[in-house]
């Protein structure tokens, strides 16, 4: 097992067991041919990088029927509006060209006036890219990597800002991605991206952030060390509330911009909290094992008391919890979700039926597992009555 960046030995420290494709919602006839891999995590000491050991090929995950759309959450639509305003305010004074890596349905890019700025998205899933194109956004239906970046010769060293959100941790060949950025970015350009934050995952014990698509869970320490290897530097880090705790990273070519004081403060905090070293991994492993025990005993108690239980939101994250804890239809009657591409299918691995929100309204359970705990603010408002009766639960404190 080797680190995807340094090619040095990785220290494997925990397996979540046999795992299907997190967004591989399937029909009954596909059960027999379902793909599984071993979801094991390891740590690369020299660059403090938390990563998967084994993972499916990117095309197995980001295919022509990818069922996740950024616009499925009102909260995220608002967040991306604010993110775009922040980019414009801080780095957008003379901005001419902007690229987003993993632009999904165009939720972020639609905040830019494409008459004033040339915006372009890279989105590998065809069905999702089509939605973005319908919004009038130039969208390249390809993975962002060195080979594909090189095809845009006219844009060489011409891009002012490259952005991403919840996309960079999905890219196993980070080296090729960084080379692509190096090819396109201006001398004074910046690369800004947001990702689920390792420190928040450790604190909450939210191991459900780990699944096939999330090849890496980044920290400031790892990002700082990775980009240093390629003549770039981390110039800012801004904590975000999204996805249960994320980090916005700002990267520039070495020696061009002044580093913010905040970066050093946050890096020191990571040292103090063992976010940059192997000790943190072992502590996290204990947290996961305890959470699993607690969750199973709670579910058994609910069932003993003849309570009807359902899942709320068929998230990618739910695939890890359900398969790691072996939670099937013995416990959950169904999982409700708003995505038409998931409704009528079954959850990956555990094969729990995915139903519409109407089903949830017409057949309310006694207890509901909130799989989209990261969107609790908007869901608690939407499901006011259910919330009043204190019927939610999760594998972490919500
Ligand atoms: O990085 C990723 C993040 C950003 O999005 C991807 N790898 C895939 C995806 O992860 P996720 O599925 O865990 O994302 P969410 O945003 O936590 O959950 C989305 C799912 O939840 C969708 O299926 C829609 C559903 N949902 C719902 O049914 N009712 C979401 C909300 C807000 C709701 O009210």
């Amino acid at each position: 097992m080797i680190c995807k960046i340094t090619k040095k030995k990785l220290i494997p420290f925990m397996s979540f067991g046999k795992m299907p494709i997190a967004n591989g919602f399937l029909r009954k006839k596909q059960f027999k041919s379902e793909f599984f891999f071993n979801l094991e995590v390891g740590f690369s000491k020299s660059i403090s990088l938390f990563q998967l050991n084994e993972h499916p090929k990117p095309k197995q995950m980001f295919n022509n029927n990818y069922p996740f759309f950024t616009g499925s959450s009102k909260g995220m639509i608002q967040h991306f509006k604010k993110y775009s305003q922040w980019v414009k305010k801080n780095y957008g004074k003379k901005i001419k060209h902007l690229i987003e890596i993993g632009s999904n349905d165009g939720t972020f890019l639609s905040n830019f006036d494409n008459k004033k700025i040339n915006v372009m998205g890279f989105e590998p899933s065809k069905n999702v890219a089509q939605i973005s194109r319908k919004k009038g956004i130039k969208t390249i239906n390809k993975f962002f990597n060195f080979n594909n970046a090189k095809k845009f010769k006219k844009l060489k060293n011409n891009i002012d800002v490259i952005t991403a959100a919840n996309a960079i941790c999905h890219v196993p060949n980070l080296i090729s991605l960084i080379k692509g950025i190096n090819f396109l970015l201006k001398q004074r350009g910046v690369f800004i991206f947001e990702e689920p934050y390792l420190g928040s995952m450790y604190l909450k014990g939210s191991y459900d952030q780990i699944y096939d698509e999330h090849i890496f869970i980044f920290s400031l320490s790892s990002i700082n060390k990775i980009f240093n290897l390629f003549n770039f530097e981390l110039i800012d880090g801004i904590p975000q509330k999204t996805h249960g705790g994320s980090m916005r990273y700002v990267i520039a070519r070495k020696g061009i911009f002044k580093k913010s004081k905040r970066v050093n403060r946050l890096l020191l905090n990571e040292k103090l909290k063992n976010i940059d070293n192997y000790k943190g991994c072992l502590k996290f492993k204990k947290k996961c094992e305890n959470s699993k025990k607690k969750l199973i005993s709670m579910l058994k108690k609910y069932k003993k008391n003849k309570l009807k239980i359902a899942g709320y939101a068929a998230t990618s994250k739910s695939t890890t919890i359900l398969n790691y804890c072996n939670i099937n239809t013995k416990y959950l009657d169904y999982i409700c979700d708003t995505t038409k591409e998931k409704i009528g299918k079954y959850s990956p691995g555990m094969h729990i039926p995915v139903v519409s929100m109407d089903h949830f309204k017409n057949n309310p359970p006694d207890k509901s597992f909130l799989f989209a705990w990261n969107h609790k603010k908007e869901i608690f408002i939407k499901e006011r009555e259910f919330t009043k009766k204190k019927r939610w639960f999760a594998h972490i404190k919500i």
Side-chain angles (χ1 to χ4, degrees):
M1 277 151 207
I2 54 164
C3 167
K4 288 167 196 56
I5 309 287
T6 61
K7 313 295 179 200
K8 285 185 200 155
K9 251 192 167 173
L10 201 63
I11 318 175
F13 67 90
M14 177 169 191
S15 171
F16 292 88
K18 207 174 90 170
M19 209 49 72
I21 299 280
N23 268 308
F25 294 87
L26 68 178
R27 303 211 181 270
K28 254 189 191 156
K29 62 176 184 214
Q30 297 168 306
F31 287 178
K32 272 195 182 146
S33 58
E34 194 171 12
F35 171 88
F36 288 91
F37 72 105
N38 179 21
L39 183 66
E40 192 179 27
V41 285
F43 193 71
S44 179
K45 269 188 171 172
S46 63
I47 53 166
S48 305
L49 184 58
F50 187 111
Q51 57 191 287
L52 300 191
N53 291 336
E54 200 188 303
H55 58 85
K57 290 193 180 75
K59 277 188 183 160
Q60 274 176 281
M61 302 181 271
F62 308 107
N63 48 41
N64 295 343
N65 298 304
Y66 186 61
F68 172 75
F69 308 92
T70 306
S72 63
S73 149
K74 280 192 188 142
M76 288 313 289
I77 297 175
Q78 273 168 15
H79 171 75
F80 281 112
K81 190 172 179 184
K82 283 193 199 141
Y83 181 13
S84 71
Q85 285 164 348
W86 184 90
V87 170
K88 286 180 218 169
K89 189 172 161 223
N90 290 281
Y91 297 97
K93 300 226 165 64
K94 292 180 200 149
I95 178 172
K96 268 196 191 155
H97 295 282
L98 182 142
I99 285 179
E100 187 188 9
I101 301 173
S103 52
N104 197 271
D105 58 7
T107 299
F108 174 73
L109 289 181
S110 60
N111 292 298
F112 292 87
D113 181 351
N114 55 14
K115 285 190 203 89
K116 290 188 185 148
I117 302 174
N118 287 318
V119 298
M120 184 162 95
F122 277 77
E123 172 48 55
S125 303
K126 195 171 169 190
N127 62 320
V128 188
Q130 266 160 357
I131 298 175
S132 165
R133 282 176 180 156
K134 276 192 192 142
K135 292 178 184 166
I137 297 163
K138 184 171 178 188
T139 309
I140 311 300
N141 178 213
K142 283 194 165 66
F143 286 101
F144 183 92
N145 53 35
F146 185 45
N147 266 343
N148 290 332
K150 263 193 318 193
K151 290 180 186 148
F152 294 87
K153 281 199 186 81
K154 280 192 187 153
L155 296 179
K156 185 171 188 235
N157 296 134
N158 214 359
I159 307 297
D160 304 276
V161 181
I162 301 181
T163 67
N166 311 305
I168 305 307
C169 73
H170 297 62
V171 181
N173 192 349
L174 260 191
I175 297 180
S176 171
L177 177 129
I178 297 172
K179 281 184 179 168
I181 290 169
N182 182 42
F183 181 84
L184 291 172
L185 205 63
K186 263 188 176 166
Q187 192 58 18
R188 295 184 65 80
V190 284
F191 171 42
I192 309 168
F193 65 106
E194 296 183 354
E195 302 292 325
Y197 179 53
L198 185 71
S200 307
M201 184 178 88
Y202 278 180
L203 189 71
K204 291 192 164 71
S206 46
Y207 62 83
D208 50 334
Q209 283 296 2
I210 303 167
Y211 51 92
D212 54 1
E213 295 178 17
H214 288 182
I215 311 278
F216 306 103
I217 308 287
F218 295 125
S219 59
L220 286 121
S221 310
S222 58
I223 291 298
N224 190 31
K225 290 173 186 167
I226 295 168
F227 280 88
N228 244 313
L229 299 172
F230 298 91
N231 238 359
F232 283 100
E233 63 181 347
L234 174 68
I235 58 166
D236 208 354
I238 304 111
Q240 305 293 315
K241 290 201 174 113
T242 46
H243 294 295
S246 300
M247 188 63 72
R248 179 178 299 163
Y249 304 95
V250 185
I251 306 287
R253 297 189 190 278
K254 270 186 190 164
I256 303 277
F257 294 105
K258 225 177 125 188
K259 260 191 191 185
S260 88
K261 285 191 185 130
R262 185 169 34 207
V263 175
N264 290 335
R265 213 178 50 230
L266 289 168
L267 282 169
L268 181 66
N269 177 56
E270 289 192 351
K271 269 199 190 326
L272 296 173
K273 300 210 169 119
N274 292 319
I275 296 166
D276 73 334
N277 62 52
Y278 187 56
K279 257 194 202 166
C281 299
L282 297 177
K283 203 169 156 203
F284 172 68
K285 181 181 177 182
K286 266 261 147 312
K287 250 191 185 172
C288 298
E289 289 164 352
N290 288 340
S291 161
K292 177 178 177 173
K293 271 188 215 145
K294 242 171 107 180
L295 177 63
I296 295 173
S297 87
M298 181 165 70
L299 287 170
K300 282 189 173 154
K301 202 174 92 195
Y302 287 165
K303 278 287 129 190
K304 207 173 151 200
N305 293 332
K306 306 228 172 335
L307 298 185
K308 183 175 158 176
I309 320 171
Y312 194 99
T315 60
S316 325
K317 296 183 289 292
S318 67
T319 298
T320 300
I321 306 171
L322 295 170
N323 287 277
Y324 172 52
C325 301
N326 202 16
I327 300 167
N328 51 25
T329 47
K330 208 171 100 188
Y331 296 104
L332 299 194
D333 289 8
Y334 62 80
I335 306 172
C336 59
D337 197 277
T338 51
T339 316
K340 71 173 189 331
E341 286 78 357
K342 295 180 185 175
I343 297 167
K345 294 186 178 167
Y346 293 84
S347 75
M350 289 294 121
H351 304 160
I352 299 165
V354 181
V355 301
S356 68
M357 286 298 170
D358 281 346
H359 190 94
F360 177 79
K361 290 211 164 64
N362 299 331
N363 306 273
D366 299 301
K367 291 279 175 191
S368 186
F369 197 141
L370 185 58
F371 290 123
W373 52 270
N374 46 315
H375 299 302
K376 72 168 186 192
K377 216 168 144 192
E378 81 178 81
I379 292 173
F380 283 3
I381 294 172
K382 213 164 19 181
E383 306 295 350
R384 210 169 268 120
E385 285 312 306
F386 198 82
T387 307
K388 262 193 215 160
K389 290 175 188 153
K390 297 193 166 70
R391 288 180 173 177
W392 301 110
F393 71 94
H395 63 309
I396 54 167
K397 207 165 162 235
I398 51 171

